[in-house]
Amino acid sequence: MTVSLGIDFGTSGARLVAIDTDCNVLWWGTSNLRAGEWRETLFALIKTIPMAVKARVTRIAIDGTSSTVLLCDDRGQSVGTPILYYDDRGRSVLEQLKSIVPNGHSVISATSSLAKLCWYASQPDLFPQGRYFLHQADWLAYHLHGKLGISDYHNALKLGYDVESLCYPDWLERHAYRPLLPQVLPPGTPIDRVIPEVARELELPADCVVCAGTTDSIAAFMASGVQTPGEAVTSLGSTLVIKLLSHRRVEDSKYGIYSHRWGDLWLVGGASNTGGAVLRQFFSDVELVKLSQDINPNLSSNLDYYPLLTPGERFPINDPNLAPRLTPRPDRSSFRGASPTSNFLHGLLEGIAKIEACGYRLLAELGATPLTAVYTAGGGAQNPVWTQIRQRYLPVPILISKHQEAAYGTALLAQASLSARRN
């Protein structure tokens, strides 16, 4: 029996899943994530695996948050601090970005990876030290296989990589940034064995191979098991991400819509800044469960919210200045006798559901394969009231993914690389 390991890195936590050749989960682990401790968390998670499982690990793949990036020196050390996916400092260089990128390209966004590289280039105290521009998953995998400057075409999409032609476009090849850009491989491609001294430290087999990774939302899509065009996955985590399996590729920077390559098909969708992070600004996990029980999901809240933590949205509106809309706050006389706090939560859940539905409508209007079903992953999938609210706005069945952990999808990616080698 061989074991494949998938590791999922988010903004605040990391998760690990080990599966056997029949895709059964043998071990899972989780860890909180503190700033500046990505490598330490990765190694600590691997060390938690029981030796009976770890001794059979032959493949490892890592997913990371899309557009979480860092500039590195020639030793792999971060130059400055990593820039997280939601950081919109790229707005200060948007005009410069537009002068580089073809009109309407999906990377024209304040939070794209390429916008962040443009921002680094505007920092004279940082940029000259940089030798590699990497995504979170790239950098973490480097600490296992030891090869700097390797990425995958899922992470590299928002860097401007052409996932249809499988190369960097001419306008990027000619740019001064080109030497910093990573080599791009298909997700799941075996890269190299774990560095011998790292294998000994982590007690991994000497022949264990690290594979090119993916993004967290694509890993969640893989975990769902969706295979039929028209089916989609909504990830309700800190943010809201939708991905629809489509025969046709759709790109529109106006709405923040982009397409990832998926074999001969396309994963069409976008990532909104709304989601669970907004809810946690106001409520604890316990409060979310308790207050949800007071909500009638079949009734409208009569509130028109656009829930965001700070100004700026990526999808279904690509506007770095879009303001949150979180007023008016309910009072005791505002809605059917329920508490103002539960009414407020009701409005937030509806607001997020409306954004999700708007996103899927846009995909249909722009020519993606018609939506037939939506699978749900992430923490929001556990809230049945929220699911019923979403069902009012979506005209197709809402289903719960059998496997909701992105790490499970990444383990499948690692396993697929082993199966491909055998075939």
Side-chain angles (χ1 to χ4, degrees), residues 200-353:
R200 288 191 293 271
E201 177 185 349
L202 301 180
E203 299 181 286
L204 287 166
D207 61 352
C208 179
V209 172
V210 184
C211 305
T214 184
T215 68
D216 54 349
S217 59
I218 292 185
F221 187 95
M222 293 183 67
S224 74
V226 167
Q227 296 181 336
T228 305
E231 295 181 330
V233 174
T234 295
S235 296
L236 293 173
S238 297
T239 58
L240 167 72
V241 182
I242 73 173
K243 295 199 181 300
L244 167 69
L245 193 58
S246 174
H247 290 289
R248 181 179 174 185
R249 182 182 184 184
V250 177
E251 302 270 338
D252 197 319
S253 64
K254 177 181 178 182
Y255 303 111
I257 293 172
Y258 52 88
S259 293
H260 281 284
R261 190 184 186 103
W262 190 260
D264 296 330
L265 301 171
W266 297 94
L267 285 181
V268 184
S272 169
N273 288 337
T274 196
V278 183
L279 300 179
R280 286 189 172 85
Q281 184 182 31
F282 300 102
F283 308 105
S284 67
D285 289 346
V286 172
E287 288 171 329
L288 284 171
V289 172
K290 183 177 185 300
L291 292 170
S292 293
Q293 296 170 354
D294 296 332
I295 294 172
N296 185 337
N298 299 312
L299 298 177
S300 171
S301 69
N302 297 324
L303 297 167
D304 183 25
Y305 291 160
Y306 201 106
L308 297 171
L309 282 175
T310 58
E313 175 61 308
R314 299 176 289 167
F315 166 84
I317 303 167
N318 186 5
D319 181 356
N321 300 308
L322 186 71
R325 192 166 62 245
L326 299 170
T327 58
R329 291 288 291 265
D331 57 32
R332 291 202 170 274
S333 63
S334 60
F335 184 62
R336 297 179 176 85
S339 74
T341 308
S342 61
N343 290 345
F344 181 53
L345 174 59
H346 191 172
L348 294 176
L349 296 178
E350 275 191 343
I352 298 171

Side-chain angles (χ1 to χ4, degrees), residues 94-109 112 114 118 157-162 167-175 249 251-254 257 318:
L94 272 181
E95 292 308 311
Q96 176 191 347
L97 187 64
K98 290 176 182 177
S99 71
I100 300 170
V101 179
N103 186 42
H105 199 286
S106 60
V107 299
I108 302 176
S109 166
S112 74
L114 191 57
C118 286
L157 177 72
K158 294 180 183 178
L159 191 52
Y161 187 78
D162 186 339
C167 62
Y168 284 110
D170 288 343
W171 56 265
L172 201 45
E173 285 283 2
R174 296 190 301 265
H175 201 275
R249 182 182 184 184
E251 302 270 338
D252 197 319
S253 64
K254 177 181 178 182
I257 293 172
N318 186 5

